[in-house]
Amino acid sequence: MIILRFISSFFVTIYYFLGYWFTALGKTDKQRRLLRSQWIYKYILVMGPLYIKMGQILATRSDLIDDELSTQLRQLQDDAPPSSEEYIRQTLKQELKRPVESVFETFFWKPVASASIAQVHEAVLTSGQRVAVKIVKKNVREQLAENLKIVRLCLKLAHALLPSIRYLNLPIRFEELYTLLLVQTDLKQEAENQETVYANFKGHTYVYVPMLIPELCTDNMLVMEFMEGIRGKDSHLVDLPASHLARRLQETIYTMLYMDGFCHGDPHPGNIFFTKTGEIILLDYGITVQLSEDEKWGLSSFYYACTRKEWSIAVNRFTQYFVTNKSRVLQEWEAYQQEMTEVLKLHFDERNNRWSTISYFQDVNKVLRRYEAQYTTNFTKVELVFLSCEGFISQIDPEIDIWANARKFTDRFSPYMNSAVKANFDRYFAQTSNGSLQLRDRAKQSLVAPTHLDRYFFPSTYPLFVKNAVGSKIEDVDGNVYIDLSCGYGPHILGYAHPIVTKTITEAVHKGGVNALGHLPEVLLAETLVQAFPSANKAIFSNSGTEAVLQAIRLCRAYRKRERVAKFEGHYHGFSDQGMVSSWFRFTGSKEQPEPIDGSLGSHQGIVKGTLVLQYGQALSLERIYEARDQLACVICEPMPVMMGAYDQEFLLKLRNLCTDYDIPLVFDEVVSGFRVTYGGVQNLANVSPDLTCLGKIIGGGLPGGSVVGKEKLINIAKSSEDPFLDYETKTFVGGTMSGNSLTCSAGLAVLNYLHQHPEIYTQLEEKTNWLAQEFREIAQHHNVPFKIKANYSIFAFSFSYKSTKLYREKLAGSNFKANLALAYYMRKHGVYIPELHTLMLNAAHTLEDLRTVTNAFDQSLREMVTDNFFIL
């Protein structure tokens, strides 16, 4: 049967070719072009939905085809011949399983749009809601399957008869495309796709996705809110400059690809409407492209290397993430790398201001073919999205600089600012902070400071060098005074140089700094910590939060005689190999079941791969802990993830009960939250007691310090049995020369005693936190800037994003890192210091006047950032 269809298609093709050829005889060139476009249009309609789909994509490529053909093919985007009214009536009756009038008060039988797979009708529900009803066309499933089978046959014949293309494995690759296209006729699947994109863009300022009415959606019908707009092909009717509208559309498509990893796969003008004022309405989700976390990382990292002209790195990354069948590539790597480098140089350097996605992909593909390699199937889908997107936005604005606009995404993990903005900052800081800049350059000769100068991932362009710090303010070496919202990443809850702390440390220094010997402050601080945590019987001291986590995990491994640790994605537990697993920027695996990935080169891969990575707040995480219960040494988490700014009491209770049932030690990392959110930390707010608690920052009173407090049976594993042989067999060592030294213990004790005696500090901090967060929201809203903030108990986590997120990877994916980095520099112009990528914190020394200065600085900074084009509004 398929052979007959193939033969029939062949003769239909011959018929239309000859028809055009004979009617074009004697005509002018313009008349021939018009006739050709008409014959091709008719031919596509006769051949079926697959050809219509290809015609829709080709219609956007006015750079590849003439105007007559482009104009003719645009009709395929939403004006293809519809199915009959009789068929629509029959389908509605079949899908609704009840009288049409019981659901629809009014139904308009003439479709408002008709494309390759389905047609859309306007209707009004009995509730009065205006809706769009999308219905699969008559026989379209059969026609599409037939089209695909004919293509499959052609590819099989080509594969068998043409050795020169056999290496492409076209039949195998086509099977993936077959499934992708055939699923377009399953509107249930499309509904799931649409709901995903709807959730991803919910709250966006200029991107709209119609909301489905789920109870009326079936395999053959979708019902959704009706959105009226200007068709994509009529974008010139939008009251927004073409350049602005084109940038908005590019931003929308790239956001889906690079950030969400879930993208509309068919963004041609028939699937995108505009409002009169320039908002974007995304329609039709039959085809989508889904990228894994690894592929998203690969996409950004490859293009970033290209922006830096690091060609060998770019070739490595491209080949790693997006090339398959690489055996010959690897065998002839030097030659392959050289050829790919030439292609990348040509497009990203010599032609970067005349960017053409199709030319770029064609040239890359030529190199791959010479080495019998191909794009991965998913990258082929990405290529199609880029081609459709580029064609459409180039129709809107022929002068658009696609590559320049893409930099927000391709090098989003970088401190890049456009040259004009950077030049302004260079001049400003050269005039106002020359001493700091000189120290920055001097430090390069002898110092690597990964926390503040040479920050991992995001090095500081204009670092601050501080001369004095008192209360809520810091003064740099140039005499500039700033209100500080870093609090040293947490320790300075009372403010800098608080009199009680200064006095205590001075007295301790005069008494001699004691370490590795017993002293009273050490005992007093231990007693204070144990009393602050109902779950704690004893304490062990260390020099930092990182060390406290190392100690806690070692104690748990000794107790359970197991090595595997369960932790949560995005929770940072210090710089140890274990603490950094899946903690920042780089994630892998699905969001439901993340997989472990190292936080830094040099991490022990056995530790990394052995870690069970979970999602905070998800029921599935509890199931995974249960499944791994016999392997686990412990479960560690931040009870209130600092970067998310909230805790989940219900989840923590369930986690506590599960760990109790199977005697798995539960470790809370309260290095940041301990004594900051309240006296005794999040566990006292949530009323959930861990087995061990890791502490740091505040308990050192501004000096290096850390501690593990918890149940006696665990802490005592570090206590000698007075039998050296038994110690080796049953005990673990967690000591340190400076752990519990007299200076740190004295300072920490002074701060904790002061906090205990002045509980009103926490109430005041919470009031200030709520006030400042609301001011930030209102200012951002006034400037129409996408902005999300979570603020609790003096800790602020914010991002320039329209998304409300629950998972750390989602928060990270939606973050505008360049705006975050730049905000820190704009705020400094107005007398406020904020860390470039860390959370903000308040301390007891911040006054209402300070906070008003902060809000004024934020207001002025956003105004300047909007002017400097940090946001596409």
Side-chain angles (χ1 to χ4, degrees):
M1 186 65 178
I2 191 62
I3 299 296
L4 292 177
R5 293 292 186 187
F6 172 73
I7 294 172
S8 172
S9 297
F10 174 75
F11 281 110
V12 168
T13 304
I14 295 298
Y15 168 76
Y16 276 89
F17 172 75
L18 292 176
Y20 158 70
W21 188 77
F22 279 113
T23 56
L25 290 175
K27 299 293 192 294
T28 65
D29 182 62
K30 184 175 181 180
Q31 290 172 327
R32 281 196 300 271
R33 290 199 305 271
L34 183 60
L35 279 170
R36 181 184 62 180
S37 66
Q38 292 169 346
W39 277 92
I40 290 175
Y41 174 74
K42 293 174 184 177
Y43 170 73
I44 286 174
L45 291 179
V46 169
M47 293 300 289
L50 178 61
Y51 294 81
I52 293 175
K53 179 64 63 182
M54 291 188 292
Q56 291 171 339
I57 296 173
L58 189 59
T60 68
R61 301 304 314 194
S62 53
D63 55 330
L64 304 177
I65 59 177
D66 55 48
D67 291 340
E68 290 82 2
L69 181 56
S70 176
T71 301
Q72 193 76 47
L73 294 183
R74 285 175 195 167
Q75 296 180 63
L76 300 171
Q77 292 167 349
D78 48 27
D79 289 327
S83 295
S84 66
E85 180 180 327
E86 179 184 358
Y87 167 75
I88 298 301
R89 287 182 181 274
Q90 180 183 352
T91 302
L92 285 174
K93 183 178 179 181
Q94 173 185 313
E95 298 304 312
L96 293 172
K97 295 180 172 57
R98 49 187 152 156
V100 174
E101 57 271 17
S102 69
V103 177
F104 299 108
E105 179 183 287
T106 307
F107 194 94
F108 297 91
W109 300 104
K110 182 179 179 181
V112 295
S114 177
S116 58
I117 304 297
Q119 59 194 63
V120 179
H121 294 258
E122 181 184 350
V124 179
L125 297 176
T126 53
S127 65
Q129 182 181 359
R130 192 180 180 197
V131 294
V133 183
K134 182 174 183 176
I135 299 173
V136 175
K137 286 184 171 182
K138 186 177 183 180
N139 299 327
V140 76
R141 287 190 177 89
E142 294 80 4
Q143 293 172 356
L144 182 59
E146 188 176 279
N147 288 162
L148 291 168
K149 287 175 183 176
I150 290 172
V151 173
R152 176 194 279 161
L153 176 61
C154 293
L155 293 178
K156 284 183 177 179
L157 289 173
H159 184 79
L161 300 175
L162 301 173
S164 61
I165 67 168
R166 199 169 293 157
Y167 74 93
L168 294 173
N169 293 319
L170 293 177
I172 294 175
R173 294 171 70 81
F174 176 74
E175 291 306 314
E176 297 168 336
L177 183 63
Y178 181 96
T179 303
L180 175 69
L181 292 173
L182 206 57
V183 79
Q184 279 195 94
T185 62
D186 180 0
L187 295 191
K188 271 288 190 185
Q189 179 64 53
E190 181 172 338
E192 291 180 13
N193 295 340
Q194 186 165 334
E195 286 179 334
T196 298
V197 180
Y198 174 86
N200 287 341
F201 278 112
K202 188 176 181 180
H204 199 284
T205 53
Y206 61 78
V207 179
Y208 300 142
V209 177
M211 184 171 63
L212 291 168
I213 301 173
E215 63 271 19
L216 295 178
C217 295
T218 69
D219 294 345
N220 296 306
M221 180 178 73
L222 294 183
V223 182
M224 67 196 81
E225 63 177 315
F226 191 91
M227 287 192 165
E228 201 156 16
I230 296 168
R231 295 183 176 190
K233 64 184 180 182
D234 298 323
S235 62
H236 59 280
L237 300 176
V238 176
D239 292 339
L240 195 71
S243 59
H244 196 162
L245 186 64
R247 285 190 67 197
R248 277 189 172 185
L249 182 55
Q250 183 182 358
E251 171 100 355
T252 301
I253 301 301
Y254 279 43
T255 293
M256 288 189 279
L257 270 178
Y258 284 92
M259 295 187 172
D260 298 333
F262 194 97
C263 184
H264 193 300
D266 197 14
H268 65 68
N271 290 336
I272 295 176
F273 281 17
F274 303 106
T275 67
K276 187 67 173 171
T277 52
E279 288 81 17
I280 296 168
I281 303 171
L282 298 177
L283 306 170
D284 195 338
Y285 298 88
I287 298 178
T288 56
V289 178
Q290 299 181 45
L291 297 181
S292 68
E293 289 294 321
D294 292 329
E295 288 170 323
K296 285 165 57 180
W297 180 269
L299 202 61
S300 291
S301 65
F302 161 63
Y303 282 118
Y304 183 49
C306 291
T307 66
R308 292 168 61 87
K309 301 181 183 180
E310 296 171 343
W311 309 118
S312 61
I313 294 175
V315 173
N316 286 338
R317 289 172 179 168
F318 176 78
T319 308
Q320 176 185 353
Y321 291 105
F322 300 116
V323 177
T324 188
N325 295 336
K326 295 183 276 194
S327 57
R328 187 174 167 191
V329 164
L330 298 176
Q331 291 170 6
E332 303 177 38
W333 178 259
E334 290 187 7
Y336 163 80
Q337 186 180 53
Q338 181 60 38
E339 289 188 51
M340 282 290 291
T341 295
E342 293 304 316
V343 170
L344 298 182
K345 281 183 178 179
L346 175 66
H347 290 278
F348 289 94
D349 192 8
E350 298 173 25
R351 295 184 183 172
N352 64 350
N353 61 343
R354 304 187 308 279
W355 180 259
S356 169
T357 298
I358 193 166
S359 297
Y360 162 66
F361 279 128
Q362 285 174 342
D363 288 348
V364 171
N365 200 44
K366 287 177 185 176
V367 176
L368 294 178
R369 289 180 62 184
R370 282 197 288 274
Y371 291 88
E372 301 176 0
Q374 302 95 42
Y375 292 128
T376 60
T377 302
N378 230 23
F379 196 69
T380 302
K381 298 175 192 175
V382 172
E383 175 183 350
L384 291 173
V385 171
F386 279 140
L387 290 174
S388 294
C389 174
E390 180 185 322
F392 191 2
I393 62 179
S394 295
Q395 283 183 357
I396 297 172
D397 176 19
E399 302 302 318
I400 189 170
D401 189 337
I402 292 171
W403 181 241
N405 294 338
R407 288 201 66 167
K408 173 183 172 182
F409 301 90
T410 56
D411 65 350
R412 67 194 189 96
F413 292 119
S414 80
Y416 165 79
M417 292 179 278
N418 73 56
S419 55
V421 173
K422 187 176 186 305
N424 286 337
F425 275 123
D426 286 343
R427 284 192 295 272
Y428 175 80
F429 286 112
Q431 293 170 0
T432 63
S433 305
N434 189 52
S436 282
L437 296 184
Q438 287 183 18
L439 279 174
R440 174 198 65 184
D441 296 338
R442 177 179 171 183
K444 290 178 181 178
Q445 308 304 314
S446 59
L447 173 66
V448 172
T451 305
H452 51 281
L453 299 182
D454 309 290
R455 191 185 303 106
Y456 192 61
F457 268 86
F458 296 97
S460 180
T461 308
Y462 311 105
L464 199 64
F465 285 81
V466 176
K467 179 172 62 176
N468 294 307
V470 178
S472 63
K473 297 178 178 65
I474 53 178
E475 180 184 1
D476 68 13
V477 293
D478 296 285
N480 301 304
V481 177
Y482 305 96
I483 295 169
D484 171 64
L485 294 181
S486 72
C487 298
Y489 290 169
H492 303 290
I493 191 169
L494 300 181
Y496 293 99
H498 190 278
I500 189 67
V501 178
T502 302
K503 178 176 180 292
T504 301
I505 292 177
T506 301
E507 291 175 353
V509 169
H510 285 304
K511 292 178 181 178
V514 177
N515 64 284
L517 290 170
H519 50 87
L520 180 60
E522 182 181 25
V523 178
L524 293 175
L525 182 58
E527 291 174 347
T528 299
L529 294 177
V530 169
Q531 291 167 7
F533 296 93
S535 61
N537 306 121
K538 291 187 176 180
I540 301 172
F541 288 117
S542 61
N543 292 298
S544 67
T546 292
E547 287 187 19
V549 169
L550 284 165
Q551 290 175 337
I553 290 175
R554 182 177 292 178
L555 290 170
C556 292
R557 285 179 171 145
Y559 173 74
R560 286 276 290 177
K561 297 180 174 55
R562 305 284 192 277
E563 293 188 354
R564 196 175 190 196
V565 171
K567 65 159 297 188
F568 293 85
E569 187 174 84
H571 291 206
Y572 174 69
H573 303 296
F575 61 77
S576 69
D577 293 354
Q578 185 75 77
M580 290 194 300
V581 173
S582 300
S583 286
W584 49 17
F585 300 116
R586 184 76 165 93
F587 306 111
T588 191
S590 68
K591 66 180 181 181
E592 294 80 13
Q593 298 194 58
E595 298 172 11
I597 190 167
D598 50 0
S600 167
L601 184 66
S603 297
H604 191 289
Q605 291 304 300
I607 292 174
V608 174
K609 292 176 182 177
T611 304
L612 176 63
V613 181
L614 310 164
Q615 290 292 13
Y616 183 84
Q618 287 194 350
L620 181 58
S621 294
L622 302 176
E623 294 177 21
R624 296 179 70 200
I625 291 171
Y626 172 78
E627 292 168 358
R629 62 192 182 280
D630 294 331
Q631 306 166 13
L632 294 177
C634 65
V635 178
I636 185 170
C637 76
E638 292 181 71
M640 188 179 89
V642 173
M643 295 303 292
M644 301 304 289
Y647 66 89
D648 186 332
Q649 183 182 32
E650 182 181 356
F651 178 77
L652 291 173
L653 284 169
K654 291 178 179 178
L655 178 61
R656 171 66 279 175
N657 292 336
L658 178 63
C659 289
T660 299
D661 289 344
Y662 298 100
D663 195 28
I664 303 170
L666 175 60
V667 182
F668 278 2
D669 179 344
E670 295 227 45
V671 171
V672 174
S673 58
F675 297 103
R676 175 161 282 280
V677 301
T678 193
Y679 193 85
V682 173
Q683 58 195 267
N684 282 340
L685 292 174
N687 197 27
V688 179
S689 296
D691 298 294
L692 294 175
T693 299
C694 299
L695 300 168
K697 298 189 185 293
I698 287 174
I699 72 160
L703 299 180
S707 178
V708 179
V709 301
K711 292 183 177 178
E712 187 171 10
K713 67 177 182 180
L714 291 169
I715 298 292
N716 275 353
I717 295 174
K719 182 179 180 181
S720 173
S721 67
E722 300 183 8
D723 177 342
F725 302 99
L726 189 61
D727 277 4
Y728 184 79
E729 294 167 351
T730 63
K731 302 294 182 178
T732 187
F733 179 74
V734 292
T737 301
M738 299 303 295
S739 298
N741 70 81
S742 62
L743 300 184
T744 295
C745 288
S746 297
L749 186 62
V751 171
L752 297 189
N753 285 340
Y754 191 89
L755 291 171
H756 192 255
Q757 294 161 10
H758 296 84
E760 71 277 5
I761 286 175
Y762 292 106
T763 303
Q764 294 166 359
L765 283 174
E766 183 66 358
E767 290 172 353
K768 293 174 186 176
T769 300
N770 294 337
W771 183 86
L772 186 58
Q774 186 57 31
E775 288 291 306
F776 278 177
R777 291 187 189 99
E778 292 177 5
I779 291 168
Q781 186 176 14
H782 173 73
H783 292 287
N784 200 30
V785 168
F787 181 77
K788 291 293 180 183
I789 187 168
K790 287 185 179 179
N792 283 302
Y793 314 109
S794 80
I795 301 173
F796 297 74
F798 73 87
S799 62
F800 288 108
S801 172
Y802 54 88
K803 285 188 178 183
S804 296
T805 57
K806 292 184 178 179
L807 303 182
Y808 182 66
R809 68 164 63 184
E810 293 173 342
K811 176 184 172 67
L812 209 65
S815 293
N816 184 342
F817 293 110
K818 298 187 189 311
N820 275 64
L821 284 163
L823 176 66
Y825 302 138
Y826 283 96
M827 293 283 278
R828 275 172 51 189
K829 290 171 61 179
H830 304 292
V832 177
Y833 173 77
I834 65 172
E836 287 143 305
L837 281 169
H838 208 277
T839 50
L840 310 187
M841 297 185 190
L842 296 180
N843 61 46
H846 283 112
T847 65
L848 186 57
E849 183 182 355
D850 289 337
L851 300 189
R852 288 199 177 103
T853 300
V854 170
T855 58
N856 181 63
F858 188 64
D859 184 25
Q860 294 186 63
S861 295
L862 287 197
R863 183 179 295 110
E864 293 169 16
M865 291 173 74
V866 169
T867 301
D868 289 338
N869 293 315
F870 275 88
F871 313 102
I872 297 179
L873 305 177

